[in-house]
């Protein structure tokens, strides 16, 4: 089908500007937008048209079509087994890297690593420190291992629930980072844009707090450590209260000035 035909079909069905359609097409086909702008005779395949419809109608993420996402300048492979890393999480990594440098931290763990975006980005920037990462999903760990290999970094990956895979050597760990599932169950059920990402990567239980409640049960093991968590601006205060049994809690904003991160440091 010619691009002109595609534009008139899509515009007939959705209220969307031709420029936005072309922007989406350029992402799906991994071409510069100028490729579509300069020639009205360009042929678009049926597969691309179907992907475009699936994206516009059902909110199917483009990143699952192209199988990639850019995170802090590195290209990560993603598929339906992992959450698509978000731009806010780049801020979490920047906070972590600054903290690691300031406190001369040598051993970091990332719980719920998904595509490996956090752990791999930290290791890329600070190759001398020890970085381990875990996930409860075996399929996610396979994606993370693939990304580490493609990006040439050495991160040790483990499968398991919450802190379990690290309990044996927890004494050595100095910083725990996590962007855990923190979305309230009812919100996921109402939001069509969240239906394609793994439920386990999003669902934080009825109040979004189930992971935080779980990790706070280990507070006796964590009192001398630094911890950095991502959460939602809507529930951050509740999360901070839950985690206050571990240490001194600070709420930090993301680049959009939303209260999103929780930083815990030892009381002494
Ligand atoms: C919000 S995603 C974050 C993925 C990745 N770290 C990122 O920031 O893009 C949460 C991840 O935690 C994992 N997860 C969920 N519950 C977990 C648990 N109890 N223990 C370990 N990992 C868990 C999910 O499989 C998912 O990969």
């Amino acid at each position: 089908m010619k691009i002109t035909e595609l534009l008139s079909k899509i515009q007939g069905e959705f209220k969307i500007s031709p420029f936005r359609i072309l922007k989406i097409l350029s992402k799906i086909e991994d071409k510069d937008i100028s490729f579509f702008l300069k020639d009205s005779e360009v042929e678009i395949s049926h597969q691309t048209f179907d992907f475009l419809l699936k994206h516009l109608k059902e909110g199917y993420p483009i990143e699952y079509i192209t199988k990639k996402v850019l995170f802090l300048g590195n290209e990560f492979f993603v598929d339906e087994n992992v959450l698509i890393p978000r731009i806010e999480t780049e801020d979490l990594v920047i906070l972590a890297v600054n903290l690691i440098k300031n406190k001369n931290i040598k051993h970091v763990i990332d719980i719920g690593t998904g595509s490996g975006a956090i752990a791999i980005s930290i290791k890329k920037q600070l190759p001398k420190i020890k970085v381990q990462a875990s996930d409860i999903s075996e399929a996610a760990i396979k994606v993370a291992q693939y990304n580490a290999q493609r990006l040439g970094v050495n991160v040790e990956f483990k499968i398991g629930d919450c802190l379990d895979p690290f309990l044996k050597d927890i004494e050595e760990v100095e910083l725990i980072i996590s962007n855990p599932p923190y979305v309230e169950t009812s919100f996921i059920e109402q939001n069509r844009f969240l239906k394609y990402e793994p439920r386990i990567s999003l669902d934080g239980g009825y109040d979004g707090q189930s992971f935080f409640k779980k990790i706070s049960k280990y507070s006796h093991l964590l009192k001398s450590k630094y911890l950095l968590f991502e959460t939602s601006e809507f529930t951050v205060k509740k999360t901070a209260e839950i985690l206050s049994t571990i240490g001194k809690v600070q709420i930090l904003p993301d680049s959009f000035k939303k209260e999103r991160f929780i930083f815990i440091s030892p009381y002494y």
Side-chain angles (χ1 to χ4, degrees):
M1 154 188 338
K2 294 211 185 328
I3 188 107
T4 41
E5 192 190 339
L6 177 141
L7 286 174
S8 71
K9 268 194 182 177
I10 297 286
Q11 283 187 286
E13 198 170 339
F14 304 93
K15 285 199 167 57
I16 173 170
S17 75
F19 188 73
R20 194 160 126 60
I21 299 171
L22 295 183
K23 262 186 100 168
I24 300 169
L25 273 181
S26 73
K27 276 196 185 172
I28 294 176
E29 293 224 329
D30 202 10
K31 292 195 169 91
D32 196 87
I33 194 164
S34 59
F35 175 83
F36 302 99
L37 285 170
K38 69 182 176 218
D39 184 1
S40 58
E41 296 292 298
V42 166
E43 279 290 331
I44 303 295
S45 72
H46 282 293
Q47 194 192 30
T48 296
F49 181 66
D50 291 345
F51 279 147
L52 181 65
L53 279 186
K54 197 167 175 190
H55 172 68
L56 292 172
K57 269 191 187 157
E58 300 168 30
Y60 189 75
I62 292 177
E63 291 84 350
Y64 287 157
I65 298 170
T66 60
K67 301 267 187 278
K68 62 182 184 187
V69 66
L70 210 58
F71 186 84
L72 284 172
N74 293 306
E75 191 180 291
F76 284 78
F77 170 86
V78 285
D79 66 14
E80 289 189 19
N81 292 306
V82 294
L83 182 101
I84 298 160
R86 304 295 202 267
I87 194 161
E88 296 86 341
T89 308
E90 294 186 336
D91 291 333
L92 182 71
V93 173
I94 293 166
L95 282 172
V97 167
N98 286 334
L99 179 74
I100 294 164
K101 285 182 182 162
N102 287 340
K103 303 286 177 194
N104 198 21
I105 287 169
K106 299 270 185 287
H107 188 173
V108 175
I109 62 174
D110 168 28
I111 303 179
T113 198
S115 63
I118 296 174
I120 293 170
S121 302
I122 291 174
K123 183 71 180 174
K124 265 229 154 287
Q125 293 186 48
L126 303 165
K128 290 201 178 121
I129 66 164
K130 177 170 177 178
V131 181
Q132 295 175 298
S134 69
D135 205 288
I136 201 164
S137 152
E138 192 176 345
I141 286 293
K142 286 197 176 129
V143 172
Q145 280 169 328
Y146 177 59
N147 279 320
Q149 185 203 329
R150 273 164 45 114
L151 293 165
V153 297
N154 186 11
V155 172
E156 187 189 342
F157 292 102
K158 293 168 181 271
I159 300 165
D161 183 11
C162 199
L163 265 184
D164 289 357
F166 304 108
L167 284 179
K168 199 162 63 69
D169 299 315
I170 197 70
E171 280 291 303
E172 293 167 16
V173 175
E174 292 165 274
L175 169 63
I176 298 172
I177 306 174
S178 183
N179 173 21
Y182 57 71
V183 186
E184 293 165 11
T185 305
S186 57
F187 185 83
I188 300 171
E189 281 161 2
Q190 288 155 23
N191 191 324
R192 74 187 181 103
F193 290 105
L194 294 178
K195 77 176 180 197
Y196 291 105
E197 290 180 282
R199 181 74 178 241
I200 199 167
S201 72
L202 297 164
D203 197 340
Y206 76 95
D207 58 357
Q209 303 299 321
S210 56
F211 181 89
F212 299 111
K213 285 177 191 160
K214 196 179 261 183
I215 202 158
S216 72
K217 294 211 174 98
Y218 294 97
S219 63
H220 57 293
L221 299 175
L222 306 175
K223 294 212 182 284
S224 62
K225 309 196 185 302
Y226 294 97
L227 297 95
L228 260 177
F229 294 103
E230 177 171 329
T231 186
S232 137
E233 60 180 301
F234 305 112
T235 50
V236 68
K237 290 202 168 64
K238 174 82 193 150
T239 308
E241 194 188 314
I242 291 169
L243 297 175
S244 64
T245 55
I246 301 175
K248 202 165 52 187
V249 173
Q250 262 177 281
I251 294 175
L252 303 172
D254 64 21
S255 299
F256 305 99
K257 300 204 170 23
K258 296 197 165 139
E259 292 190 323
R260 182 170 303 284
F261 305 116
I262 296 184
F263 173 49
I264 302 170
S265 51
Y267 271 114
Y268 50 83

